[in-house]
Amino acid sequence: MKSNIIKNGIERAPHRSLFKAMGYTDEEINRPLIGVANSKSEIIPGHTHLDKIAEAVKAGIRMAGGTPVEFGVIGVCDGIAMGHIGMKYSLATRELIADSCESMAIAHSFDGMVFIPNCDKIVPGMLMAAARVDIPSIFISGGPMLSVKYKEKYADLNSVFEAVGAYKAGKMSEEEVLEYENNACPGCGSCSGMFTANSMNCLTEVLGLALPGNGTIPAVYAHRLRLAKLTGMKIMELIKKDIKPSDILRLQSFENALAADMALGCSTNSVLHLLAIANEADVDINLDKINDISDRVPNICKLAPAGKHHVQDLYAAGGIQAVLKELSTKGLIDESLLTVTGKTIRENIDDIEVMDREVIRSVENPYSPTGGIAVLKGNLAPEGAVVKRS
């Protein structure tokens, strides 16, 4: 075990004494030590419930014979930080998160890592750390917020922004804006549309570093807690088989992620983050490659803010695995790649069906024959600009 360096032999008695100061028994110390990077906080709706996810993960680790070691990770809520100086700090936290997770993993010689993110810069920061540290690792997010029906439409955070615009245009009263404020975000979870948080959670699943369901199971569903327990159990299997991020994050993995990105119409920030994660994994992806993929992969989902559906609808339609299954019918993804299930993408999607053709359209009947994201070049942006054309 990698952790033997901090716990084996007479010279490590001082190290073991520090574990025992925290209540660890000899049996726990002698098991594989699993770092549990938990970004739970009381400032991000998508993270306020991550203590429950972490408890489920730790239960799974213990059931499978490991010892969980939880530590905290920072995170900025992009929604709360938006529109003022706070937004200058958001992207910087991605690097702080990557650096801090790397520091914790290496300093304490963890045998494996379970990463628990959910929103904006936290997901890519942890993905960068996983690629950099390259020990057996797996992800479980907190899941998307539900969208609930309000005034005959399903509302979300974007509805509140639109309400503010309507008020300033004289089309809505302040009292009506308050009603949206009180109803649009009904509880915990990452904002319910295909914004950056859900985009990255879905793409983590496509990359192969999270179990099927990670990107779409709603935050408040018991299925999310069951998946967290399975994730805790699965990290022990990854350690036993010595499956590391470098075995999963290949060039084709990022091409798959970009293909799914185009099919889903993900956030433009997904390009920003995929390039950074690829850099940590020593994979070369450039903007021209992104346009090539966009030209050949159709946009088959219209999720808010581009359409009326939300991530809960994508979950009910079969989730990310159903999207991959649909793309595979035209050879638009590489199905041979290994994932944290211990199986290939082909094996993962073998029995999957699309459950709702309104939410996940056929590649033969897409919303658009080209992807949801495009890279433009011109005098305003000679090195390229990313737009969400969906």
Side-chain angles (χ1 to χ4, degrees):
M1 286 184 285
K2 184 179 178 66
S3 60
N4 285 346
I5 195 173
I6 63 167
K7 63 189 185 184
N8 276 15
I10 191 66
E11 58 282 330
R12 294 300 185 242
H15 301 62
R16 294 192 295 272
S17 73
L18 292 170
F19 275 96
K20 289 178 179 179
M22 294 178 281
Y24 290 90
T25 64
D26 284 323
E27 183 178 9
E28 288 176 302
I29 296 169
N30 290 330
R31 291 177 173 185
L33 300 181
I34 312 301
V36 178
N38 183 10
S39 55
K40 194 269 181 191
S41 74
E42 296 179 352
I43 194 62
I44 312 176
H47 290 233
T48 189
H49 65 302
L50 294 187
D51 52 338
K52 299 292 188 290
I53 300 292
E55 287 302 319
V57 165
K58 291 189 288 185
I61 291 170
R62 293 188 183 105
M63 282 190 284
T67 296
V69 182
E70 182 182 351
F71 62 90
V73 178
I74 67 163
V76 162
C77 178
D78 272 29
I80 295 173
M82 191 177 295
H84 56 91
I85 193 171
M87 188 45 64
K88 293 180 181 290
Y89 287 80
S90 180
L91 184 56
T93 65
R94 187 186 72 181
E95 318 310 311
L96 294 174
I97 290 161
D99 291 347
S100 62
C101 289
E102 174 194 5
S103 299
M104 292 297 287
I106 301 300
H108 302 106
S109 295
F110 292 138
D111 296 296
M113 291 282 289
V114 178
F115 292 93
I116 309 176
N118 207 28
C119 293
D120 294 292
K121 310 307 181 289
I122 300 92
V123 185
M126 288 187 175
L127 284 165
M128 290 164 67
R132 192 184 297 172
V133 174
D134 202 31
I135 60 174
S137 299
I138 192 169
F139 283 68
I140 172 69
S141 78
M145 185 185 293
L146 289 177
S147 172
V148 295
K149 206 165 192 179
Y150 176 67
K151 291 190 174 180
E152 303 306 313
K153 287 177 63 178
Y154 282 88
D156 55 36
L157 178 63
N158 216 48
S159 306
V160 192
F161 282 111
E162 291 172 351
V164 171
Y167 169 77
K168 291 190 172 183
K171 298 178 180 179
M172 190 177 286
S173 69
E174 188 173 349
E175 290 74 21
E176 288 174 305
V177 175
L178 180 61
E179 285 299 306
Y180 275 101
E181 177 184 325
N182 288 336
N183 290 283
C185 299
C188 66
S190 47
C191 296
S192 56
M194 192 54 77
F195 307 109
T196 302
N198 288 324
S199 295
M200 293 310 302
N201 285 326
C202 289
L203 297 183
T204 301
E205 187 178 331
V206 178
L207 284 169
L209 286 178
L211 294 177
N214 177 72
T216 59
I217 298 170
V220 295
Y221 284 16
H223 191 179
R224 173 67 55 180
L225 292 176
R226 296 198 299 272
L227 189 71
K229 289 178 182 177
L230 291 173
T231 298
M233 297 171 72
K234 185 60 70 171
I235 187 61
M236 301 307 297
E237 181 183 321
L238 295 174
I239 290 170
K240 189 177 296 184
K241 295 180 178 178
D242 194 30
I243 297 175
K244 302 183 293 296
S246 58
D247 299 311
I248 293 171
L249 296 178
R250 305 296 178 86
L251 171 61
Q252 297 89 337
S253 307
F254 287 94
E255 291 175 340
N256 280 353
L258 287 165
D261 196 327
M262 300 308 167
L264 291 164
C266 289
S267 163
T268 53
N269 278 337
S270 61
V271 172
L272 178 78
H273 298 318
L274 284 173
L275 290 171
I277 299 159
N279 182 63
E280 296 290 352
D282 292 322
V283 170
D284 183 29
I285 293 282
N286 56 44
L287 294 181
D288 292 333
K289 168 70 75 172
I290 292 167
N291 251 358
D292 290 342
I293 293 173
S294 182
D295 285 344
R296 62 183 174 82
V297 178
N299 179 210
I300 59 174
C301 297
K302 280 276 190 185
L303 301 170
K308 65 179 181 178
H309 300 126
H310 290 82
V311 180
Q312 67 201 44
D313 301 309
L314 181 59
Y315 166 68
I320 295 304
Q321 299 301 304
V323 173
L324 295 179
K325 182 65 173 281
E326 183 59 31
L327 293 178
S328 73
T329 62
K330 289 294 182 182
L332 295 172
I333 59 164
D334 187 331
E335 303 172 60
S336 68
L337 301 176
L338 182 66
T339 72
V340 289
T341 64
K343 301 176 181 178
T344 63
I345 293 172
R346 181 179 297 111
E347 292 172 299
N348 290 343
I349 66 175
D350 186 44
D351 296 324
I352 298 295
E353 294 181 17
V354 176
M355 306 301 291
D356 188 335
R357 282 296 181 186
E358 187 181 349
V359 178
I360 304 174
R361 285 194 177 184
S362 162
V363 290
E364 304 287 357
N365 180 38
Y367 286 102
S368 167
T370 54
I373 286 177
V375 176
L376 308 180
K377 291 185 179 181
N379 64 318
L380 295 179
E383 293 183 31
V386 182
V387 296
K388 184 169 180 173
R389 62 181 166 197
S390 64

